[in-house]
Amino acid sequence: MKNNKIVIYIGLLAAGILVGWVIFGGSSKKETDHNHEVVAETNQMWTCSMHPQIMQPEPGDCPICGMDLIPAETGSDGLLANQFKLTDNAMALANIQTSIIGKGNVEGSVLTLSGKIAENEKANAVQVSYVSGRIEQLYVSATGETVSKGQLLASIYSPELYAAQQELITAASIKNSQPELYQAVRNKLKLWKLSESQINHIETSGKVQENVSVYATVSGTVTEKLVAQGDYVKQGEPLLKIANLNSVWANFDVYENQIDLLKKGQQVIVTAKAYPNKEFTGTVDFINPVLNTQTRTVTLRVVLDNKDLKFKPGMFVTANIEGGLKKNEDVLTIPASAVLWTGKRSVVYLKTQPNQPVFEMQEVVLGNKIGDTYEVVDGVFVGNEIVTHGTFTVDAAAQLQGKKSMMNKEGNKTMTGHQEHSGDHASNTDSKQVNIHERMEVSGDFQAQLSLVFNDYIALKDALVKEDSKRVVTASNNFLSHLSEIDMELLKGEAHKQWMALENDLRTSAVSISKASSIPSQRDFFKQLSAKLTKALEVFGINETAYLQFCPMADNNQGAYWLSKEKKVINPYFGEAMLTCGEVKQVID
């Protein structure tokens, strides 16, 4: 009986242990599983599809653009070192588009060159003084005046000529006995450009003329006044430069890879911004055999008829040469919108997987620009799929994920917009930047004049923020006024060449803004103006700090830059709709 009780107690104890294990063991496992879920939820990060550098532990709004945050992806397994993946949401929001590279025949395509009108040196003349003396009267008061052959230009008092006239009067009295002496004196006066009638008048009147008149030997326009009234001049010293503008030269820059496409005698269609609806025909007259080692270009010259004086020296023109790209073989071409250019490198983004939004940066070597496309010499192949719309957005994603990008040549470095790096471009909101374009030494006077242009740009930007179209036009006109007042003579050599090219682009963009009738079109031209003014500030400086800011959603999600005098982002591309969308990409000191 006692043994039976012990067996019962042992059975009850075993049953209790089993029940306890079932209850508490199961709860423990369930609780453990539940904790894993909590941890997983706690580790979820949230990001912005347009600003992947934003990482927050909770959902909410993007502090940059105000968009709803989305769950961040946890990894990109299976991708190569410099490949990266975008979310479907980011692809849709940025409207990223791609296209397959194919070959295009450029037979008969038009080659476009940029150039400037210059005086026809063969038709120019320098009016000189044929005697030494003092300019008593100068009858040409300013440059730009038109003179005719035989027109009185100046009156000069010459002691030498005064003495020679007295010799003539004396020799005339003994010309019968000493005809050789008499003829020698007359010839001496002829060398000083006195006419037969003037010499005969002196001889018959017996009176010495105190002043000798200088007459124009050619017809044309006075382009430079080299003396002033009262100046002393020597025999043969230039007085005036006179240009015959009935014909002018159009000088164009031709790059090394274009030289073999051009030849003397080719027909050229010349257009000028001053006459947007007119075309002028000329032929290639000369191709400089010497290459400019600084610009890596040669000068191509076209002679243009200018009897109606439409072309002014210094005017910018464009040449379209039919059949200039006359290679017969097919060439590889890509849309210009696909190319990002750093000033040193040209890059595109390849879509490396046909069914997945996976991308990789690829450097390319470009050839001629053919309309809205570029010829590709090296870097991509037929069949490659490249980004053609939204390229800036894809590049920003590459930077932020530490992959190879336009500004991060080597990769392996995550860009957040808040650290300095040593690539082709610098992006730093807090410390001094390295400019993309090499800074040139220029005078403080030039920088002060450029600073006035920058102030007008800021006024233009602020007007776009307020979406005030009339103020935009006023600011752009002020911009043009101060731009025209910049003294290019303050620049020498390469600095002068760079400014001439930039000044033309700045003027073109500002004129387009002033003529645009709507805020959207004004913003389109403002993007172009910002790019050129940024380069001008980087190259020449203005002795103050400017902030280069960027919004990836501007210009239909292609992205756009603008300049500001302050770090605070005030977006001129959206106004009140997205006033703070953007970030500082570069500081220009």
Side-chain angles (χ1 to χ4, degrees), residues 9 12 25 64 84 105 168 201 207 218 269 306 335 341 344 390 392 394-395 413 443 494-495 504 509 540 553:
Y9 290 148
L12 290 173
I64 296 177
F84 57 95
N105 195 331
L168 174 64
H201 178 72
K207 293 181 180 180
V218 295
I269 302 299
N306 194 39
W341 186 65
K344 297 180 181 179
F392 273 109
V394 176
D395 181 74
K413 189 172 186 179
S443 70
E494 184 62 25
N504 179 49
S509 297
F540 303 109
M553 300 181 69

Side-chain angles (χ1 to χ4, degrees), residues 401-420:
Q401 296 184 40
K403 308 298 183 180
K404 283 186 177 180
S405 65
M406 179 175 66
M407 293 186 273
N408 187 8
K409 183 176 181 180
E410 302 301 327
N412 300 320
K413 189 172 186 179
T414 302
M415 300 300 298
T416 66
H418 297 280
Q419 73 266 21
E420 190 170 1

Side-chain angles (χ1 to χ4, degrees), residues 94-105:
N95 191 23
I96 294 171
Q97 300 174 12
T98 61
S99 62
I100 305 295
I101 296 176
K103 285 188 175 182
N105 195 331

Side-chain angles (χ1 to χ4, degrees), residues 152-296:
L152 180 62
L153 299 178
S155 177
I156 299 176
Y157 169 73
S158 172
E160 294 178 359
L161 184 60
Y162 189 89
Q165 292 178 80
Q166 289 179 325
E167 289 179 11
L168 174 64
I169 295 171
T170 302
S173 64
I174 59 173
K175 63 180 179 181
N176 292 329
S177 60
Q178 298 188 41
E180 293 180 356
L181 175 62
Y182 168 73
Q183 194 61 45
V185 173
R186 286 184 67 93
N187 290 337
K188 183 178 180 181
L189 291 173
K190 289 179 181 179
L191 290 174
W192 283 335
K193 295 300 178 180
L194 266 68
S195 65
E196 284 283 350
S197 61
Q198 286 177 303
I199 296 172
N200 291 336
H201 178 72
I202 295 168
E203 182 179 338
T204 56
S205 67
K207 293 181 180 180
V208 176
Q209 296 180 6
E210 291 187 358
N211 298 329
V212 61
S213 298
V214 178
Y215 297 95
T217 56
V218 295
S219 299
T221 302
V222 176
T223 57
E224 190 172 357
K225 228 174 77 173
L226 302 172
V227 293
Q229 191 167 298
D231 286 351
Y232 282 86
V233 294
K234 296 180 180 180
Q235 183 178 3
E237 183 174 340
L239 303 177
L240 303 168
K241 286 186 178 180
I242 300 176
N244 187 338
L245 299 179
N246 287 333
S247 67
V248 292
W249 286 350
N251 293 322
F252 299 95
D253 290 329
V254 178
Y255 291 97
E256 284 182 89
N257 64 332
Q258 298 172 330
I259 294 175
D260 66 328
L261 306 177
L262 302 165
K263 63 181 180 180
K264 189 175 179 179
Q266 277 181 294
Q267 189 178 50
V268 177
I269 302 299
V270 176
T271 58
K273 291 183 174 66
Y275 314 107
N277 299 320
K278 293 186 178 181
E279 293 183 344
F280 306 87
T281 303
T283 55
V284 177
D285 178 67
F286 172 77
I287 300 176
N288 197 326
V290 180
L291 181 77
N292 185 323
T293 57
Q294 297 294 323
T295 61
R296 310 304 302 175

Side-chain angles (χ1 to χ4, degrees), residues 101 332 334 338-341 344-350 361-367 374-381 384 386:
I101 296 176
L332 207 62
I334 60 175
V339 181
L340 297 179
W341 186 65
K344 297 180 181 179
R345 299 179 295 126
S346 299
V347 303
V348 298
Y349 278 92
L350 301 177
M361 189 206 79
Q362 177 63 47
E363 292 190 29
V364 292
V365 179
L366 301 178
Y374 278 108
E375 177 184 347
V376 182
V377 178
D378 189 29
V380 291
F381 305 94
N384 285 156
I386 61 171

